[in-house]
């Protein structure tokens, strides 16, 4: 199973984001837009995890969530990663969100699950350039220039909301790419 831990903005925030991106051009064949039901802010990508590790992970993630209080966030602006993915930015208490992400990664490592080792950059992916892997470098000129999309996202802002839980998802590719929510835990700050 390919797993990741994430937070999902509430429906009103997602509806505002959906309205904002309808103003962006959607006709470039090089872009694959993420479906709104898949939108999330990744805390940790766990990759392939053996099914026999799932119960230990779920229990440990539950304890980590309980140690963290709700976090106030908003979506704002946009950006891109090496001209291969377009994203909406995250603002608010991103330092606490980063500590939650590090806590999730630490739990996964203690459960003997390899976690991507890169700095946490909170974002919500909107579109990916087709045929470009997560690790590939794409020139600023092709196959599609994301900068005009980023420029048009700069004025975008949502109201703040309180992140009250984190979720464990499995990434499923067939018959269409989607994410199955396996577990969720409240952030209680106990």
């Amino acid at each position: 199973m390919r797993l990741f831990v994430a937070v999902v903005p509430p429906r009103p925030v997602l509806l505002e984001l959906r309205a904002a991106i309808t103003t962006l051009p959607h006709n470039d064949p090089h872009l694959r837009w993420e479906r709104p039901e898949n939108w999330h802010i990744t805390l940790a990508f766990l990759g392939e995890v053996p099914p026999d590790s799932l119960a230990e992970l779920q229990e440990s993630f539950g304890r980590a969530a309980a140690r963290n209080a709700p976090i106030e966030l908003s979506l704002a602006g946009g950006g891109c990663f090496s001209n291969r993915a377009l994203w909406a930015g995250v603002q608010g208490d991103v330092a606490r969100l980063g500590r939650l992400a590090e806590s999730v990664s630490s739990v996964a490592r203690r459960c003997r699950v390899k976690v991507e080792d890169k700095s946490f950059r909170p974002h919500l992916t909107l579109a990916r350039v087709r045929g470009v892997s997560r690790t590939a470098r794409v020139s600023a000129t092709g196959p599609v220039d994301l900068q005009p999309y980023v420029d048009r996202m700069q004025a975008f802002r949502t109201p703040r909301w309180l992140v009250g839980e984190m979720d464990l998802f499995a990434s499923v590719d067939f018959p269409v790419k989607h994410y199955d929510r396996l577990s969720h835990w409240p952030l209680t700050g106990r």
Side-chain angles (χ1 to χ4, degrees):
M1 296 182 292
R2 268 192 340 267
L3 302 179
F4 64 92
V5 179
V7 297
V8 178
R11 182 171 169 73
V13 170
L14 295 177
L15 289 173
E16 283 198 36
L17 178 58
R18 189 175 195 161
I21 68 164
T22 61
T23 67
L24 301 176
H26 280 69
N27 57 352
D28 191 313
H30 295 104
L31 283 181
R32 178 180 52 82
W33 291 87
E34 292 292 333
R35 295 178 16 227
E37 59 269 24
N38 288 343
W39 286 344
H40 63 275
I41 301 165
T42 302
L43 296 173
F45 180 73
L46 309 177
E48 288 293 331
V49 174
D52 60 348
S53 298
L54 187 59
E56 181 184 10
L57 277 171
Q58 289 170 311
E59 182 178 325
S60 298
F61 286 147
R63 286 192 303 271
R67 289 189 300 267
N68 286 272
I71 302 167
E72 191 173 84
L73 298 177
S74 66
L75 297 179
C80 62
F81 292 126
S82 301
N83 218 36
R84 63 180 163 72
L86 175 68
W87 45 262
V90 177
Q91 289 185 344
D93 201 346
V94 293
R96 283 193 45 232
L97 186 67
R99 288 192 295 276
L100 176 62
E102 181 51 42
S103 175
V104 167
S105 293
S106 294
V107 163
R109 288 183 197 102
R110 283 194 302 275
C111 292
R112 297 162 308 284
V113 172
K114 184 174 169 59
V115 180
E116 283 185 331
D117 189 26
K118 59 183 184 181
S119 61
F120 179 65
R121 293 191 49 198
H123 65 281
L124 187 150
T125 301
L126 299 172
R128 298 182 192 281
V129 177
R130 291 182 190 276
V132 178
S133 74
R134 293 169 56 120
T135 57
R137 297 280 181 218
V138 179
S139 73
T141 59
V144 60
D145 182 9
L146 295 178
Q147 192 57 49
Y149 295 88
V150 172
D151 293 344
R152 292 189 51 188
M153 286 292 294
Q154 290 314 302
F156 171 70
R157 300 279 181 278
T158 67
R160 290 180 179 255
W161 83 91
L162 208 55
V163 175
E165 67 181 24
M166 67 180 200
D167 302 281
L168 177 66
F169 289 96
S171 180
V172 180
D173 291 331
F174 185 80
V176 62
K177 182 180 178 180
H178 66 280
Y179 305 128
D180 287 340
R181 185 167 98 168
L182 303 179
S183 301
H184 69 279
W185 305 275
L187 303 179
T188 58
R190 291 185 287 187

